[in-house]
Amino acid sequence: ELLTSEKLAKAFVIEEEPVEIRHRYGSTEIGQKALLARRLVEAGVCFVGIDYRPQEKNNYGWDHHVDLARWMPIAAYPFDQAIATLIKELEERGLDKEVLVLAFGEFGRTPKINADAGRDHWPRAGSVVIAGGGISGGQVYGATDRTGADVKYPVVHPPDLLATIYKIIGY
């Protein structure tokens, strides 16, 4: 029923959203995807994934093995604006208990800049942002050593993250 509903079809018409709200998310690819995600959730979609790979000329998405100082702002600033706005709007609309927001990549990054002024894949430590889903905000779980190279405590593996997600969504 959802796939053929008028409610879902209308969710894709982002132009119906007030201009102020569209600008709040950012006039960027990730900003408009985050806004669409919110609209899809409001229409009844129970799972929304956002793929964000900044496609600026010579940019490698999030894979900044080269020239990190140049490319990271292009990727990070729009992402920060979009995700922060999504989380805030979900809260304002009373959806923060129902909707779980996760943001992470497939690897952490080396604690040191490489010879090409970038950072390489680093499976020993990484970060995940979790918001909503009834979780109390403002928490930090886990820590690395002072250089960000190794996990100090507690070690969290991918199955641990999945267990947390499953518990939040009721499995």
Side-chain angles (χ1 to χ4, degrees), residues 83-111:
I83 293 301
T85 302
L86 175 62
I87 292 168
K88 185 170 183 163
E89 279 217 326
L90 290 171
E91 184 178 287
E92 290 171 354
R93 292 164 183 260
L95 295 168
D96 56 312
K97 304 286 187 267
E98 298 174 41
V99 178
L100 177 65
V101 177
L102 298 155
F104 57 93
E106 82 283 19
F107 276 102
R109 292 292 165 171
T110 51

Side-chain angles (χ1 to χ4, degrees), residues 53-68:
R53 299 177 199 176
Q55 299 298 317
E56 299 294 329
K57 184 177 180 188
N58 297 323
N59 187 355
Y60 302 100
W62 289 102
D63 225 5
H64 300 124
H65 297 282
V66 177
D67 205 3
L68 180 69

Side-chain angles (χ1 to χ4, degrees), residues 5-6 9 19 24 53 55 58 120 147 149 154:
S5 74
E6 180 68 27
V19 173
R24 193 171 163 192
R53 299 177 199 176
Q55 299 298 317
N58 297 323
D120 297 314
T147 65

Side-chain angles (χ1 to χ4, degrees), residues 17-141:
E17 200 69 43
V19 173
E20 314 81 62
I21 292 188
R22 291 173 60 199
H23 286 306
R24 193 171 163 192
Y25 279 87
S27 299
T28 60
E29 175 190 353
I30 184 64
Q32 297 308 289
K33 285 181 175 182
L35 174 56
L36 177 58
R38 194 217 69 217
R39 290 173 60 87
L40 289 171
V41 165
E42 289 177 322
V45 174
C46 63
F47 181 89
V48 179
I50 299 173
D51 180 33
Y52 175 51
R53 299 177 199 176
Q55 299 298 317
E56 299 294 329
K57 184 177 180 188
N58 297 323
N59 187 355
Y60 302 100
W62 289 102
D63 225 5
H64 300 124
H65 297 282
V66 177
D67 205 3
L68 180 69
R70 178 177 179 195
W71 296 116
M72 182 53 89
I74 292 169
Y77 296 154
F79 176 82
D80 287 349
Q81 179 181 5
I83 293 301
T85 302
L86 175 62
I87 292 168
K88 185 170 183 163
E89 279 217 326
L90 290 171
E91 184 178 287
E92 290 171 354
R93 292 164 183 260
L95 295 168
D96 56 312
K97 304 286 187 267
E98 298 174 41
V99 178
L100 177 65
V101 177
L102 298 155
F104 57 93
E106 82 283 19
F107 276 102
R109 292 292 165 171
T110 51
K112 294 183 179 179
I113 302 296
N114 66 23
D116 295 318
R119 292 173 70 195
D120 297 314
H121 296 167
W122 190 255
R124 292 173 23 198
S127 301
V128 177
V129 173
I130 303 176
I135 291 177
S136 297
Q139 299 180 67
V140 175
Y141 186 79

